[in-house]
Amino acid sequence: MTTRNKIGVLDLQGGVHEHIFHLQALGIEPVRVKVAEQFDDLAGLILPGGESTCLIRLLNIFEIAPKLREAHAQGMKIWGTCAGAILIANHIEGDKSQLGLMDITVSRNAFGYQIDSFNTRVKVPKVTENEVELTFIRAPKITAIGSQVQVLLQIDDYIAAAESDSCLATVFHPELTPSLAFHKYFVEKCGIAVTSELTERPDRTSWMKFARIAKPTV
Amino acid sequence: MENNRFELNAQLAQMLKGGVIMDVTNPEQAKIAEEAGAVAVMALERVPADIRANGGVARMSDPQMIAEIQAAVSIPVMAKARIGHFVEAQILEALKIDYIDESEVLTPADDENHIDKSKFQVPFVCGARNLGEAARRIAEGAAMIRTKGEAGTGDVVEAVRHMRQMNSDIRILCGLDEAEVMPFCKNNGIPHHIAQQVRKLGRLPVVNFAAGGIATPADAALMMQLGCDGVFVGSGIFKSGDPAKRARAIVKATAYFNDPVKVMEASKGLGEPMVGIGISTMKEEEKIAKRGW
């Protein structure tokens, strides 16, 4: 019997470093998940932003998808950001669903092109009392939710963040903005205590420390 | 709140990390690329190998054809403008292209100046052979860099050379005493403020992909192990015997570049690779990486 006491980030493609940095800023040392065996000791798994079709392809060729569903059924919580939210949705408009772990309907690339990507500032009372900055990059929209799903953030005609007992979905990228609030919220949802008092990471380029060529001068 | 376009554009490139961007010439190829797991497609009328073979002036692709590819896939669509041809870039922006590649693969429109990319809302990726070239493009507003390699050859040697040169330049710059930075910038044509960012970060301040000659899963994993953030594959896929299979294999090898068993599995039974041209048999003036400065 294994203990589910770690947080993992699916490390196949996309914004992996950014999530790792946010988690480390909270004092959590995440697992970089490359193969299905690593699910065994995870209390929670983050599916990062990236390209959903690429992530689906990689999940399927190495038969990670069925093991991911199994681990979820055994209690591993999942947070999907942007492309990750598409992967866990039960319904994808105009396409067949993939992991089908959360009763939401998503519309892929719903804002248009890169030129339509944007930042905004909002309050998400369930997650933090402070106003937070949100970044939407070629983002999907959550257009419908099932009865077991709660809305965390509604903007205009769409849902930007929602949660069920076992899943969290955000169509924006908390790993790209300074606030650590969503990461803290997810880690606590996974039953892991966050002791760090830090609420913001220091620098937007901090992910680069995981992809260095040389030791920095300063 | 005010949108910071440069930041949003650099962040789109961050989401492409660990992925493969594939050249496609029609909606059918774009769909094959997307299905295989490409993180973006580069829409162009002729792949670099054909541009090389056909000769003549290579220009921006027909907007009609680019729009058809945009309609066919949900992944980001990139397209090429000639170096210095800011009106081609304006047309691509009017098409709402997701990324403009100011590319040496096309015939340059200006042999002295690159496009002032800071004037655009849509992002640019530019080629570079060394840190100086990359830093100048970033100073002009590029939100992503790719090492040039030698497009349309299927020979990875130039891609390796440019990546190693870039890395070596970065290592030297980061090891310098502060007083030595300015002469290094002068000698390598590096804008000083970009050099300071590189010294602070230990790498380029934007995402850097490898390009130009990548034709096999092993080539892609090689470039990833050399430290790039992802790869472009141009002629290597649709000039090979079984494009769909090769595309999937390169996606796999890029994601698992540090796992020799998985790269080995990805390399099995792929059929004929593109024929290719050995760089050592080429004349200097035939190299397109020399376009731009």
Side-chain angles (χ1 to χ4, degrees), chain A residues 1 25 97 107 112 122 131 143 161 178 207-208:
Chain A
M1 183 66 199
S97 73
S107 169
V122 294
E131 197 178 58
T143 54
W207 68 270
M208 292 184 174

mmCIF file of all heavy atoms in Angstrom, chain A residues 1 25 97 107 112 122 131 143 161 178 207-208:
data_model
loop_
_atom_site.group_PDB
_atom_site.id
_atom_site.type_symbol
_atom_site.label_atom_id
_atom_site.label_comp_id
_atom_site.label_asym_id
_atom_site.label_seq_id
_atom_site.Cartn_x
_atom_site.Cartn_y
_atom_site.Cartn_z
ATOM 1 N N MET A 1 0.855 -1.208 0.000
ATOM 2 C CA MET A 1 0.000 0.000 0.000
ATOM 3 C C MET A 1 0.886 1.251 0.000
ATOM 4 O O MET A 1 1.767 1.419 0.833
ATOM 5 C CB MET A 1 -0.898 -0.048 1.265
ATOM 6 C CG MET A 1 -1.908 1.101 1.374
ATOM 7 S SD MET A 1 -3.154 1.051 0.074
ATOM 8 C CE MET A 1 -3.761 2.723 0.113
ATOM 9 N N ALA A 25 8.005 27.400 -4.682
ATOM 10 C CA ALA A 25 7.877 28.658 -3.934
ATOM 11 C C ALA A 25 6.997 28.457 -2.699
ATOM 12 O O ALA A 25 7.134 29.172 -1.713
ATOM 13 C CB ALA A 25 7.306 29.750 -4.834
ATOM 14 N N SER A 97 -14.272 13.350 -26.175
ATOM 15 C CA SER A 97 -13.587 13.667 -24.921
ATOM 16 C C SER A 97 -12.389 12.746 -24.745
ATOM 17 O O SER A 97 -12.291 11.702 -25.380
ATOM 18 C CB SER A 97 -14.549 13.532 -23.749
ATOM 19 O OG SER A 97 -14.810 12.173 -23.499
ATOM 20 N N SER A 107 -15.042 24.470 -24.696
ATOM 21 C CA SER A 107 -14.943 24.892 -26.086
ATOM 22 C C SER A 107 -13.481 25.281 -26.296
ATOM 23 O O SER A 107 -12.968 26.203 -25.660
ATOM 24 C CB SER A 107 -15.869 26.083 -26.319
ATOM 25 O OG SER A 107 -15.600 26.645 -27.575
ATOM 26 N N GLY A 112 -10.319 32.837 -29.883
ATOM 27 C CA GLY A 112 -9.822 33.171 -31.220
ATOM 28 C C GLY A 112 -8.345 32.865 -31.355
ATOM 29 O O GLY A 112 -7.884 31.786 -30.994
ATOM 30 N N VAL A 122 -9.115 39.898 -11.373
ATOM 31 C CA VAL A 122 -10.417 39.567 -10.793
ATOM 32 C C VAL A 122 -10.250 39.123 -9.343
ATOM 33 O O VAL A 122 -9.146 38.880 -8.875
ATOM 34 C CB VAL A 122 -11.109 38.407 -11.555
ATOM 35 C CG1 VAL A 122 -11.484 38.803 -12.957
ATOM 36 C CG2 VAL A 122 -10.233 37.166 -11.536
ATOM 37 N N GLU A 131 -7.223 40.398 -4.945
ATOM 38 C CA GLU A 131 -7.453 40.404 -6.378
ATOM 39 C C GLU A 131 -6.254 39.717 -7.057
ATOM 40 O O GLU A 131 -5.115 39.949 -6.655
ATOM 41 C CB GLU A 131 -7.579 41.844 -6.862
ATOM 42 C CG GLU A 131 -8.204 41.951 -8.233
ATOM 43 C CD GLU A 131 -8.373 43.405 -8.669
ATOM 44 O OE1 GLU A 131 -7.352 44.137 -8.716
ATOM 45 O OE2 GLU A 131 -9.510 43.787 -8.962
ATOM 46 N N THR A 143 -18.176 25.878 -20.898
ATOM 47 C CA THR A 143 -19.478 26.396 -21.337
ATOM 48 C C THR A 143 -20.641 25.766 -20.587
ATOM 49 O O THR A 143 -21.760 26.270 -20.647
ATOM 50 C CB THR A 143 -19.669 26.166 -22.846
ATOM 51 O OG1 THR A 143 -19.454 24.767 -23.117
ATOM 52 C CG2 THR A 143 -18.672 26.992 -23.656
ATOM 53 N N ALA A 161 -13.148 29.041 -14.109
ATOM 54 C CA ALA A 161 -12.582 28.085 -13.150
ATOM 55 C C ALA A 161 -13.722 27.342 -12.471
ATOM 56 O O ALA A 161 -14.764 27.939 -12.161
ATOM 57 C CB ALA A 161 -11.739 28.816 -12.102
ATOM 58 N N PRO A 178 2.167 36.066 -10.979
ATOM 59 C CA PRO A 178 2.914 35.973 -9.716
ATOM 60 C C PRO A 178 2.172 35.269 -8.574
ATOM 61 O O PRO A 178 2.794 34.626 -7.747
ATOM 62 C CB PRO A 178 3.167 37.440 -9.359
ATOM 63 C CG PRO A 178 3.026 38.194 -10.638
ATOM 64 C CD PRO A 178 2.017 37.455 -11.448
ATOM 65 N N TRP A 207 10.960 30.618 -14.090
ATOM 66 C CA TRP A 207 10.933 29.247 -14.628
ATOM 67 C C TRP A 207 12.225 28.896 -15.342
ATOM 68 O O TRP A 207 12.598 27.731 -15.462
ATOM 69 C CB TRP A 207 9.754 29.064 -15.601
ATOM 70 C CG TRP A 207 9.891 29.850 -16.890
ATOM 71 C CD1 TRP A 207 9.453 31.118 -17.110
ATOM 72 C CD2 TRP A 207 10.515 29.411 -18.089
ATOM 73 N NE1 TRP A 207 9.774 31.509 -18.386
ATOM 74 C CE2 TRP A 207 10.416 30.475 -19.016
ATOM 75 C CE3 TRP A 207 11.132 28.224 -18.498
ATOM 76 C CZ2 TRP A 207 10.925 30.392 -20.319
ATOM 77 C CZ3 TRP A 207 11.642 28.148 -19.787
ATOM 78 C CH2 TRP A 207 11.531 29.230 -20.673
ATOM 79 N N MET A 208 12.925 29.930 -15.812
ATOM 80 C CA MET A 208 14.115 29.685 -16.635
ATOM 81 C C MET A 208 15.242 29.015 -15.860
ATOM 82 O O MET A 208 16.159 28.473 -16.454
ATOM 83 C CB MET A 208 14.608 30.986 -17.258
ATOM 84 C CG MET A 208 13.633 31.525 -18.301
ATOM 85 S SD MET A 208 14.272 32.986 -19.104
ATOM 86 C CE MET A 208 13.009 33.243 -20.358
#
